[in-house]
Amino acid sequence: MKLLLLLVAVGLCSAQYNPNTKAGRTSIVHLFEWNWGDIAAECERYLAPNGFGGVQISPPNENIIVTNPNRPWYERYQPVSYKLCTRSGNEQQFRDMVTRCNNVGVYIYVDTIINHMCGSGGGSGTHSTCGSSFNAGSRDFPAVPYSSLDFNDGKCRTGSGEIENYGDANQVRNCQLVGLLDLALEKDYVRGKVADYLNNLISIGVAGFRLDAAKHMWPGDIKAITDRLANLNTKWFPGGTRPFIFQEVIDLGGESISVNEYFGVGRVTEFKYGAKLGTAIRKWNGEKLSYLKNWGEGWGFMPSNRALVFIDNHDNQRGHGAGGSSILTFFDARLYKMGVGFMLAHPYGFTRVMSSFSWPRNIVNGRDVNDWMGPSSSSVSINGDGTCGNGWVCEHRWRQIKNMVSFRNVVDGQAFTNWWDNGSNQVAFGRGNRGFIILNNDDWNLDVTVNTGLPAGTYCDVISGQKEGSRCTGKQIGVGSDGSARFQISNNDEDPFVAIHVDARL
Ligand code: AAO
């Protein structure tokens, strides 16, 4: 009996690290700024049939309307209340999305802004997405309600009231992040309001939460809130399932706050991942792909079972947040596909794929002056060839990325095996006897015979094409009875990498 209780306790504690995706689905996609109706349709027509596990959605709660500049994407990081209406849709549309996605086994992960409300200079009135009134100056948010008693103004010790020094953990947690009104999360009342918001989302059927700006909250305060959360809705999830929690903590080293302070609550974003992989693929600072042999913890990353990994996110693809210019994005499509391909093939971390809208990037003095722009169209259109229109990039629909999401599902649970490199930028590795990837990022051709670990047969490369029925639209790779195969990759190939797996055997 004691053992049973212990097992139950351990199960409860470990559960918030589990993404709750359906068995055999191992990645989520961030459909940044998509509206709820389009996400529901995408779950049914594309994400479920292609093995995606879930969707990170943009914040669903009411936010301030920013008109200068005109409706930036970032207004959604300035809450006015926890009512579910934004430019992505109203509460009815939100509920419909969750139901339709859940019904096809694609789960919803909500970007939750619980560290703060809108900016201190947000003014007053009803210029908010559901029309709720607020007064930033007097700290009044009657639709929650929050009052001046519920903010950290008295606790911040900097002259400006802002975070001035990331080396001081007290400032980072008690002062304002870029002027955003900092909630007093140690107050039972505030914790209750936040927990009510998250529990409402849980009852509607969501599977987990991204905790925005977690670095700016005390881990103990977050824990007190997540301890109040209900189990997931049993209409779709087994009884006792805990919400998946992943916390946005930027830790590239050298600051006062470290990611490991947050492991008690849930997973944490590993920002080193995209920054360092981008550096290696760009071949900056003398980095080479062959150095990736011990990628993961060997590179000083957090434990794999605590990490949420991604190549780029909605901040660092446009110079916000952190990571710097090494971050790969859709603007560097050829290198980007290699980066995403490597990430999805490699066992480290739980993977999130980015799906963006495009904007007219305009770098002036090293900064993109258009970094604020929201999507140019409120709805995603799908072209005849399956790509997206209206300025939506839909990286998740690029054949190479979509097929690597499947690759990760096929090799799930398999060990990292059969590493090969040429001492430079040609590398390969397998995942047990289920899949194999080989990349050529050198300025010359690759022609090598290596052990793939795969059963003998003819495989269809899922990068240059894919298996359609019994035929292959891309390169074909013959694997011998000893598992070896010859690969030839020109450095001028459209995509200089090849990936094969047992579900793409001809
Ligand atoms: C907007 C305006 C502001 C205005 C404010 C209020 O832009 O001018 O004052 O409204 O009216 C987003 C936008 C913001 C926007 C905000 C609200 O990005 O521009 O402000 O909505 O509308 C920090 C946080 C991190 C945060 C990131 C952007 O730690 O949590 O800044 N990300 C999340 C969201 C993000 C959102 C918010 C939080 C707020 O993903 O979309 O903001 O809800 C260092 C620190 C990092 C810090 C960065 C940037 O990074 O370590 O923690 O991120 O600085 O301040 C090297 C270092 C690296 C360092 C980096 C940059 O790489 O290694 O550690 O340099 O210095």
Side-chain angles (χ1 to χ4, degrees), residues 166-458:
Y166 273 91
D168 176 352
N170 284 298
Q171 284 187 31
V172 177
R173 271 103 176 222
N174 292 343
C175 296
Q176 293 175 359
L177 165 64
V178 295
L180 299 161
L181 296 175
D182 207 49
L183 284 166
L185 290 169
E186 84 282 4
K187 286 190 62 179
D188 188 66
Y189 175 78
V190 178
R191 291 174 177 178
K193 287 295 167 190
V194 169
D196 287 350
Y197 167 45
L198 303 191
N199 279 328
N200 181 37
L201 296 169
I202 288 172
S203 74
I204 292 171
V206 310
F209 304 104
R210 168 189 187 265
L211 301 188
D212 180 74
K215 181 178 179 174
H216 305 277
M217 302 188 268
W218 294 95
D221 290 344
I222 301 180
K223 177 86 171 47
I225 291 166
T226 55
D227 281 350
R228 293 191 189 189
L229 298 185
N231 294 328
L232 297 189
N233 188 322
T234 52
K235 180 159 182 219
W236 295 286
F237 302 94
T241 306
R242 298 299 295 156
F244 178 45
I245 304 288
F246 60 104
Q247 304 160 92
E248 189 228 6
V249 179
I250 296 174
D251 175 7
L252 295 173
E255 285 182 11
S256 57
I257 292 171
S258 142
V259 283
N260 53 39
E261 296 170 50
Y262 291 85
F263 295 162
V265 176
R267 289 203 186 225
V268 185
T269 50
E270 180 49 278
F271 274 82
K272 291 174 185 162
Y273 195 102
K276 300 213 166 175
L277 193 57
T279 305
I281 290 179
R282 291 183 191 278
K283 298 187 261 190
W284 286 358
N285 305 344
E287 293 288 358
K288 298 174 177 163
L289 292 194
S290 57
Y291 298 163
L292 304 180
K293 183 173 185 177
N294 63 341
W295 185 244
E297 287 99 340
W299 275 59
F301 299 170
M302 68 181 79
S304 177
N305 63 6
R306 290 294 173 269
L308 185 290
V309 297
F310 46 94
I311 297 301
D312 59 331
N313 79 348
H314 71 281
D315 284 330
N316 63 19
Q317 68 172 197
R318 48 176 51 70
H320 286 230
S325 50
S326 74
I327 296 297
L328 297 170
T329 71
F330 67 87
F331 286 116
D332 303 298
R334 190 166 184 263
L335 298 181
Y336 188 66
K337 286 178 275 182
M338 291 178 79
V340 177
F342 183 91
M343 173 182 82
L344 291 170
H346 196 280
Y348 181 85
F350 182 69
T351 45
R352 180 180 67 195
V353 171
M354 181 68 200
S355 188
S356 317
F357 59 82
S358 190
W359 74 96
R361 200 164 57 164
N362 183 13
I363 313 280
V364 178
N365 297 328
R367 199 194 138 232
D368 179 3
V369 295
N370 288 338
D371 66 345
W372 57 272
M373 287 187 172
S376 58
S377 161
S378 59
S379 182
V380 179
S381 65
I382 309 294
N383 301 321
D385 64 358
T387 60
C388 296
N390 288 347
W392 298 90
V393 183
C394 289
E395 295 93 316
H396 70 287
R397 280 177 169 255
W398 295 3
R399 181 190 65 241
Q400 301 85 343
I401 293 178
K402 177 228 3 169
N403 286 342
M404 286 307 296
V405 167
S406 297
F407 179 109
R408 190 175 193 77
N409 293 340
V410 171
V411 305
D412 187 26
Q414 297 288 317
F416 177 77
T417 47
N418 292 310
W419 174 267
W420 167 86
D421 68 69
N422 70 342
S424 183
N425 291 291
Q426 301 182 352
V427 301
F429 62 92
R431 296 293 304 279
N433 59 2
R434 304 276 294 166
F436 191 78
I437 186 170
I438 179 163
L439 304 98
N440 177 15
N441 200 29
D442 273 326
D443 300 327
W444 59 87
N445 293 344
L446 173 154
D447 186 347
V448 69
T449 298
V450 289
N451 182 18
T452 64
L454 298 187
T458 304

